[in-house]
Amino acid sequence: MEGEPDTGASSRDERKAKEKAEILQRETQRKSFKLVREERLEICVVHCLQVFDDTEDLRCKVGQLAEAVRQAQHLVIYTGAGISTAASIPDYRGPNGVWTQLQKGRAVSSSDLSEAEPTLTHMCIRMLHEENMVQHVVSQNCDGLHLRSGLPRHTLSELHGNMFIEVCTSCSPVREFVRLFDVTERTARHRHGTGRRCAHCGGELRDTIVHFGERGTLEQPLNWRGASNAAERADVILCLGSSLKVLKKYGCLWSMNRPAIRRPKLYIVNLQWTPKDDLATLKIHGKCDDVMRLLMEELNIQIPAYNQTEDPVLSLATPLRPDEEDSYTRKLIAPPAGGEDCSPDSLGQGGGTAVQGGWFGRGYSKGRKRKRRKVVV
């Protein structure tokens, strides 16, 4: 009939309009997602950039830091990989860091970490403690350099372990063995046995390293009790060379149960962005050694030089049994008294060889492994 509407044509127009609206909506969502991705990428790039304060600003900021150190009643220092880069130990998130290089598809190699020695920053921290200006040090590093600098063990919390220490958890209390070499060459995440046995109970010795995804339960050298007690008493926290991306997760280190006005004043020394920057009283963009050298000048404190003959690890070390002499291949940090370095690898390896295994070596070598392709028969 002539007067009846064309329902087929109208439903077709409605369907086309609906489809057009859906296409426009999807296009809008794609543009929105693309914008978000670009913004996130831009933020990541900015966060990875290294920023250097100019000479005048650096001296001014270090002057403010020196005044805070003088007035502090209980100063705690948190340290990360950035304080050990001067000892030729790569950090993780810097431009030449392990994770950065892996993300770029580059291979990572390093000299035997047993050859590293405490840096100027390590020695400054030890001296500040001797001057009663630093009460506790909380370290994320496994390189043992704080201990080797002469910092007393009761003052130190090595939250992620120490490469020179292995323990027997079968003994009660846990028995500790300090060695002159890296004990982690055969260990890895969830596999901590070092291949040696306890001389007292025969139990298998294990390293003290806490890998990503693991929870550290050892009392020493982790010393979580000392770290949390120090954080509770702290009125000033100085963060040196740490991205704080791991430490930020430990609420007990930041007094987060207190009102913001009653939390410790935070000072950060790092070339890159950290997630605590907005909470910091002062952020110093400089290398740790440069900042600490200026700080010691401001405080009029002399920086001691590292002396290998006075390295505390030499006196703390437990000698190996005769049947254990071939149980390691790492170089000793110092040759035995009155003799040449007789470690198993001293004759066959030169300097600058790539690390294979251990808390550092396995950490990046796993990242380079390619997934095996499944072969369909």
Side-chain angles (χ1 to χ4, degrees):
M1 299 177 61
E2 294 181 0
E4 293 181 358
D6 189 350
T7 56
S10 61
S11 61
R12 188 165 52 251
D13 292 341
E14 290 175 1
R15 187 170 63 253
K16 287 183 177 180
K18 184 178 180 180
E19 291 175 353
K20 184 177 180 180
E22 290 176 350
I23 292 172
L24 290 174
Q25 184 180 10
R26 286 196 297 270
E27 186 64 26
T28 302
Q29 287 178 343
R30 277 196 294 268
K31 290 180 179 179
S32 177
F33 291 153
K34 183 179 179 180
L35 182 62
V36 170
R37 284 196 300 269
E38 289 175 351
E39 289 177 350
R40 287 180 177 176
L41 179 60
E42 184 177 351
I43 291 173
C44 289
V45 170
V46 171
H47 285 177
C48 291
L49 290 176
Q50 286 192 336
V51 178
F52 291 84
D53 290 328
D54 61 40
T55 304
E56 185 177 346
D57 285 345
L58 187 63
R59 284 192 172 276
C60 180
K61 288 183 177 181
V62 172
Q64 297 177 52
L65 175 60
E67 188 60 29
V69 171
R70 291 190 192 97
Q71 296 182 1
Q73 298 297 313
H74 198 93
L75 170 61
V76 181
I77 295 182
Y78 296 168
T79 63
I83 73 166
S84 295
T85 54
S88 299
I89 299 177
D91 59 12
Y92 293 95
R93 297 179 174 88
N96 297 315
V98 174
W99 307 144
T100 305
Q101 295 301 312
L102 287 176
Q103 288 174 349
K104 295 179 179 178
R106 299 174 183 172
V108 182
S109 62
S110 174
S111 298
D112 193 325
L113 304 189
S114 300
E115 298 177 349
E117 294 182 348
T119 67
L120 180 141
T121 297
H122 289 96
M123 303 310 296
C124 289
I125 292 172
R126 188 199 96 181
M127 202 62 197
L128 288 173
H129 174 261
E130 290 184 4
E131 295 290 329
N132 202 32
M133 291 183 168
V134 170
Q135 278 62 52
H136 201 81
V137 177
V138 179
S139 175
Q140 299 170 257
N141 301 335
C142 305
D143 52 34
L145 294 181
H146 277 303
L147 180 61
R148 296 181 58 195
S149 74
L151 193 67
R153 294 205 66 185
H154 68 273
T155 306
L156 179 61
S157 294
E158 296 176 292
L159 301 185
H160 296 159
N162 186 311
M163 63 186 277
F164 296 106
I165 298 176
E166 55 187 349
V167 296
C168 176
T169 55
S170 299
C171 288
S172 184
V174 173
R175 195 178 299 275
E176 186 179 82
F177 299 84
V178 180
R179 307 297 190 186
L180 296 178
F181 54 88
D182 178 5
V183 304
T184 71
E185 61 181 300
R186 293 186 177 89
T187 67
R189 185 169 179 252
H190 301 315
R191 193 171 71 249
H192 294 273
T194 64
R196 285 173 289 277
R197 294 279 173 178
C198 176
H200 299 270
C201 74
E204 183 182 21
L205 299 183
R206 53 157 290 173
D207 69 15
T208 61
I209 306 303
V210 181
H211 294 271
F212 288 109
E214 295 181 335
R215 179 183 293 273
T217 57
L218 289 173
E219 184 173 344
Q220 290 292 345
L222 278 55
N223 193 16
W224 267 105
R225 182 179 301 177
S228 58
N229 288 343
E232 286 180 7
R233 299 179 59 189
D235 59 343
V236 175
I237 293 175
L238 172 59
C239 300
L240 295 171
S242 172
S243 70
L244 300 181
K245 291 182 179 180
V246 175
L247 280 186
K248 72 173 183 178
K249 300 176 182 178
Y250 303 135
C252 65
L253 298 181
W254 305 102
S255 303
M256 299 306 291
N257 56 337
R258 299 187 208 169
I261 196 171
R262 294 184 56 203
R263 293 173 192 162
K265 292 182 179 179
L266 179 61
Y267 293 79
I268 300 174
V269 178
N270 203 296
L271 293 172
Q272 294 175 302
W273 171 89
T274 82
K276 292 288 185 179
D277 284 357
D278 292 340
L279 302 177
T281 301
L282 181 67
K283 171 70 178 292
I284 303 177
H285 298 95
K287 292 184 177 181
C288 293
D289 279 5
D290 296 339
V291 172
M292 294 304 291
R293 184 181 289 106
L294 291 175
L295 176 63
M296 299 299 272
E297 288 180 8
E298 288 280 345
L299 298 174
N300 196 27
I301 299 175
Q302 188 173 1
I303 305 171
Y306 168 72
N307 186 341
Q308 189 182 63
T309 61
E310 298 176 358
D311 194 319
V313 173
L314 298 181
S315 59
L316 293 172
T318 305
L320 293 172
R321 300 194 308 270
D323 61 317
E324 295 177 327
E325 290 296 335
D326 296 329
S327 65
Y328 69 101
T329 63
R330 292 287 190 261
K331 294 182 68 173
L332 298 175
I333 62 172
E340 297 294 327
D341 182 356
C342 58
S343 58
D345 70 340
S346 62
L347 298 177
Q349 290 185 347
T353 56
V355 173
Q356 300 296 329
W359 68 270
F360 185 86
R362 290 191 189 277
Y364 68 73
S365 62
K366 282 188 176 181
R368 293 187 309 198
K369 290 181 180 178
R370 297 179 179 177
K371 294 182 179 179
R372 295 182 179 178
R373 296 180 179 178
K374 294 183 178 180
V375 179
V376 180
V377 181

